[in-house]
C-alpha cells in the first residue's frame, strides 16, 4: 500500500527518528522516546505500535507486509 510506504519514508526523515539515527542504530524500528535510544523495539512494543498505526490509517496490515513490500520493490528495481 503506497500510503504505508509513504508513512515509513516520512518516519525515516522525521525529527522523531533523529535520536535513533544519531545513535548509529542498525535497527529499523527502534526505541526513540526513553531508555536505550536506538535499541530494537521489544516484541510487545512493536505489537502495540502496529495496533495504534492500524487505527490511525484505518485498515488492517502487519509488519510482515512491509517485508514483502520491500522485497517486491527490490525485485522491481533489479536487485
Amino acid at each position: 500500500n503506497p500510503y504505508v510506504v509513504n508513512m515509513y519514508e516520512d518516519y525515516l526523515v522525521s525529527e522523531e527518528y533523529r535520536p535513533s539515527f544519531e545513535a548509529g542504530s542498525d535497527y529499523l524500528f527502534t526505541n526513540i522516546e526513553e531508555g536505550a535510544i536506538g535499541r530494537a523495539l521489544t516484541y510487545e512494543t512493536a505489537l502495540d505500535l502496529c495496533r495504534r498505526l492500524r487505527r490511525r490509517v484505518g485498515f488492517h496490515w502487519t509488519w510482515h507486509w512491509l517485508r514483502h513490500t520491500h522485497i517486491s520493490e527490490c525485485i522491481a528495481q533489479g536487485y
Side-chain angles (χ1 to χ4, degrees):
N1 185 305
Y3 183 69
V4 174
V5 172
N6 287 338
M7 285 180 59
Y8 165 70
E9 290 171 348
D10 289 347
Y11 167 71
L12 288 180
V13 298
S14 70
E15 288 297 316
E16 181 180 32
Y17 185 73
R18 181 184 296 270
S20 183
F21 177 77
E22 290 175 348
S25 179
D26 291 327
Y27 297 105
L28 173 59
F29 301 106
T30 63
N31 183 7
I32 58 173
E33 293 182 0
E34 59 187 35
I37 303 299
R39 299 294 300 167
L41 294 179
T42 64
Y43 182 74
E44 293 78 19
T45 301
L47 285 178
D48 180 59
L49 177 60
C50 187
R51 286 185 203 105
R52 288 185 285 138
L53 290 172
R54 283 179 190 151
R55 284 192 296 269
R56 189 171 170 185
V57 299
F59 62 88
H60 181 82
W61 59 276
T62 67
W63 293 119
H64 196 72
W65 286 14
L66 294 180
R67 179 180 182 192
H68 284 280
T69 300
H70 175 70
I71 290 169
S72 296
E73 290 292 323
C74 287
I75 291 170
Q77 293 178 21
Y79 290 103

